[in-house]
Each structure stands twice: as C-alpha cells, then as structure tokens.
Amino acid sequence: MAEQKNITFEAAMEQLEQIVERLEEGDVPLEESIDLFQQGMALSKVCHSKLQNIEKKMDTIMKDNGESEPFLVKDDEQ
C-alpha cells in the first residue's frame, strides 16, 4: 500500500484516512491493528516527505525576468 513510490499526496492521505477510520472502529483484531498502524505510519511519512518537497519548491519564486528570489510571506499586520 504505502510502498508505492509514485503515490500521490492525495491518494496517500485518502488511504491514511481509511486506516484511521478502521482503527477508530475499535473492532479490529490486535494483529491487524498493528499492521494497519504500520501502514498508517508509512503513509504518514510519505505525506510528510511530499509536503517537505513542496515547501522547498515554494521557498523560491521565479520572477518575470527569469531570476529566482526567496519567497517571503508578508504579514497582514504590517
């Protein structure tokens, strides 16, 4: 399940949500609960990694002239 290298963030989140729902039901046998937990942790790691990659990409922004510069979020309070 989570071992798919090309899984999208959305697909990983959907699978993770299904696992959480299943575990929250409370009627899952212990061995299956452990397997589901491990799968969920692997999916969580995939999601975290994909989010970190996106954050790195958003750290710089391309200007109209082709130059890149740091992407800074301006506070509304200023």
Side-chain angles (χ1 to χ4, degrees), residues 32-47:
E32 187 177 352
S33 293
I34 292 169
D35 289 340
L36 288 170
F37 178 78
Q38 290 173 333
Q39 291 173 18
M41 291 303 294
L43 287 165
S44 176
K45 186 175 179 179
V46 167
C47 291

Side-chain angles (χ1 to χ4, degrees), residues 15-57:
Q15 290 178 14
L16 184 56
E17 288 172 0
Q18 290 172 356
I19 288 171
V20 169
E21 287 175 11
R22 187 87 198 280
L23 289 171
E24 286 179 340
E25 289 174 2
D27 61 351
V28 181
L30 179 61
E31 294 297 324
E32 187 177 352
S33 293
I34 292 169
D35 289 340
L36 288 170
F37 178 78
Q38 290 173 333
Q39 291 173 18
M41 291 303 294
L43 287 165
S44 176
K45 186 175 179 179
V46 167
C47 291
H48 181 72
S49 176
K50 289 187 177 288
L51 286 174
Q52 282 185 320
N53 288 337
I54 295 298
E55 283 180 358
K56 287 178 186 174
K57 288 179 184 179

Side-chain angles (χ1 to χ4, degrees), residues 3 5 9-10 14 21 28 30 32 58 61 74:
E3 295 150 40
K5 301 239 182 211
F9 175 81
E10 291 80 7
E14 183 176 329
E21 287 175 11
V28 181
L30 179 61
E32 187 177 352
M58 292 186 67
I61 189 166
K74 297 178 182 174

